[in-house]
Amino acid sequence: MSKLRTPDMIDVTGAAGTANAAGAARPLIDGFARRISYLRLSVTDRCDLRCSYCMPERMTFLPKRDVLTLEELFDLASGFIDRGVTKLRITGGEPLVRRDIIDLFAALGQRLGPKGHGGLEELTLTTNATQLASHAEALFKSGVRRVNVSLDTLDRDRFHQLSRRDALPQVLDGIAAAKAAGLKVKLNAVALKGVNEDELPDLIAWAHGEGHEVTLIEVMPLGEVEGERLDQYLPLDDVRARLESDWDLSPSAHRTGGPARYFDIAQTGGRLGLITPHTHNFCDGCNRLRVTATGQLYPCLGGAERVDLRAALRSDAPAENLCRALDQAMTIKPERHQFRMDQRGAQPAVARHMSMTGG
Ligand code: SAM
Ligand code: SF4
């Protein structure tokens, strides 16, 4: 491992000096009695695509000096694991564009173990898959078993238009490589009015034919983008009604603890997830926190509340101060998001783009 300590140098019982800090064993429980067990950690806000619902073409990225080092990201993740986080998703921006990112996966993989052992139970990532072909095997070797790949269309021209880059062939190669490496692939597609709505049944049928689960997501008003958000918004109740005119959808007993509701489709033999922040609020069972690549902890995707973990990490007593900062986050996690998708010309619900907090 080039810059990060090699996994065999990491003491996984007291990783990065955080495990035995005062209060380290105390679980993270917020003011609404929700137990936090899931962290989404962004490792960069940069990306090689420019999806039009996510960011503008001329996006301003964070100065690199503000971004946490791989060591700091590892220490930070360890601090969360020591407080009962069992599921860790690496995200971005595009996580696989970060240099030496596999080193971080390899180090974090050392904290994986069976359910109930007190460490990490799942290490995963969300990716646009443009670089997945060259990283799939190394990810599997690090202990990753599942990847979420964002794929909104199977049409090359449409992909080019939507992401502003002609990268669909690389993405499909990446998905195939992940499958070949033994990674389970879950596809996420943002349902976009007048953009991919006509294609969603084909996308679902293709994914299920390949053995991949698919989840559709309603677009959220995060950050300024070109164009009107309301014009992008496609309520998933409408999509579901249209799918039901051809297919039999039955509610699935499958649960992940996340925001998706699942349906089994008889005709495709696959599972469909629906993430509906607007039509069905999902905040009651929220078990997650999000941290940006600069170490800003946002307890809610739809809120501006934050705690600065970088300051804690770079202080004289990082372990204690990180613990304290996490306690503080528990007191400010809001009960629910305040997204609205019913006003033309409205300001974004929050100023930061999804590429900052990750998904
Ligand atoms: N670059 C990676 C990718 O696209 O998978 C990871 C980061 S991306 C921000 C994570 C997810 O957020 C993607 O599935 C993307 O489609 C979704 N996303 C981005 N902006 C969104 C928005 N405004 N509303 C809903 N989902 C959004
Ligand atoms: Fe990049 Fe992902 Fe945002 Fe698309 S959705 S621009 S791939 S961060």
Side-chain angles (χ1 to χ4, degrees):
M1 174 171 303
S2 49
K3 306 219 171 49
L4 191 56
R5 282 153 298 188
T6 54
D8 51 303
M9 287 166 68
I10 293 168
D11 171 6
V12 295
T13 57
T18 56
N20 299 318
R26 214 168 46 248
L28 295 168
I29 298 175
D30 78 0
F32 301 93
R34 293 173 297 197
R35 168 109 187 233
I36 306 302
S37 56
Y38 184 179
L39 172 64
R40 291 203 172 181
L41 178 58
S42 172
V43 294
T44 178
D45 66 323
R46 285 162 199 263
C47 189
D48 52 349
L49 302 184
R50 293 286 184 281
C51 303
S52 53
Y53 54 83
C54 178
M55 58 173 79
E57 166 77 75
R58 295 165 74 85
M59 180 70 172
T60 307
F61 295 110
L62 297 164
K64 283 197 175 151
R65 63 176 179 279
D66 291 351
V67 171
L68 298 182
T69 64
L70 293 180
E71 283 82 0
E72 286 173 325
L73 287 164
F74 177 79
D75 287 352
L76 190 140
S78 290
F80 278 90
I81 297 166
D82 296 337
R83 295 289 304 267
V85 162
T86 55
K87 191 170 167 184
L88 175 59
R89 176 182 296 278
I90 301 299
T91 179
E94 173 47 42
L96 298 182
V97 303
R98 171 105 193 223
R99 195 193 306 185
D100 297 328
I101 191 62
I102 292 299
D103 297 353
L104 180 64
F105 279 101
L108 290 169
Q110 295 295 300
R111 300 221 59 190
L112 280 165
K115 200 172 165 66
H117 84 299
L120 203 53
E121 291 166 13
E122 188 181 47
L123 173 61
T124 152
L125 73 152
T126 306
T127 175
N128 63 25
T130 58
Q131 322 271 324
L132 192 52
S134 50
H135 290 307
E137 282 183 17
L139 288 168
F140 188 88
K141 233 188 245 167
S142 302
V144 174
R145 293 292 175 265
R146 219 160 54 82
V147 289
N148 277 39
V149 173
S150 306
L151 180 67
D152 305 315
T153 176
L154 286 170
D155 181 285
R156 186 167 177 174
D157 292 336
R158 198 177 267 187
F159 185 99
H160 190 169
Q161 206 175 4
L162 183 57
S163 70
R164 303 184 179 108
R165 301 292 184 268
D166 181 20
L168 183 65
Q170 281 141 263
V171 169
L172 295 179
D173 284 353
I175 294 171
K179 187 175 168 181
L183 295 166
K184 205 162 165 35
V185 176
K186 195 172 112 190
L187 298 176
N188 290 332
V190 179
L192 297 161
K193 195 164 152 184
V195 177
N196 62 357
E197 62 177 305
D198 60 332
E199 198 195 332
L200 294 173
D202 287 348
L203 185 62
I204 296 165
W206 175 81
H208 287 176
E210 291 287 314
H212 308 317
E213 200 178 285
V214 196
T215 292
L216 304 181
I217 306 170
E218 286 176 344
V219 74
M220 291 176 270
L222 300 172
E224 289 284 358
V225 290
E226 286 130 14
E228 166 64 50
R229 276 281 182 208
L230 199 55
D231 291 338
Q232 302 177 328
Y233 173 47
L234 180 60
L236 287 183
D237 279 354
D238 297 358
V239 174
R240 184 177 152 194
R242 258 178 271 157
L243 294 176
E244 282 177 327
S245 63
D246 289 324
W247 289 338
D248 298 307
L249 269 64
S250 45
S252 162
H254 181 68
R255 296 281 176 278
T256 61
R261 294 172 296 134
Y262 292 94
F263 298 86
D264 294 317
I265 304 182
Q267 287 77 2
T268 62
R271 189 154 54 208
L272 175 69
L274 300 180
I275 298 186
T276 51
H278 310 296
T279 46
H280 300 267
N281 182 273
F282 49 56
C283 300
D284 282 358
C286 184
N287 64 350
R288 64 194 58 189
L289 296 175
R290 295 163 198 268
V291 177
T292 69
T294 58
Q296 304 308 304
L297 187 162
Y298 285 95
C300 177
L301 179 63
E305 306 82 357
R306 73 182 163 106
V307 177
D308 183 4
L309 301 186
R310 187 178 57 185
L313 276 174
R314 293 182 179 173
S315 68
D316 291 344
E320 287 78 1
N321 287 332
L322 186 59
C323 254
R324 214 166 286 137
L326 297 187
D327 287 335
Q328 192 195 343
M330 292 303 94
T331 66
I332 62 166
K333 185 168 165 66
E335 187 174 14
R336 51 171 298 165
H337 73 70
Q338 299 297 335
F339 293 140
R340 289 188 59 179
M341 238 356 184
D342 55 2
Q343 280 174 324
R344 193 157 285 279
Q347 290 292 309
V350 292
R352 63 181 191 279
H353 294 86
M354 186 84 167
S355 55
M356 252 184 91
T357 7

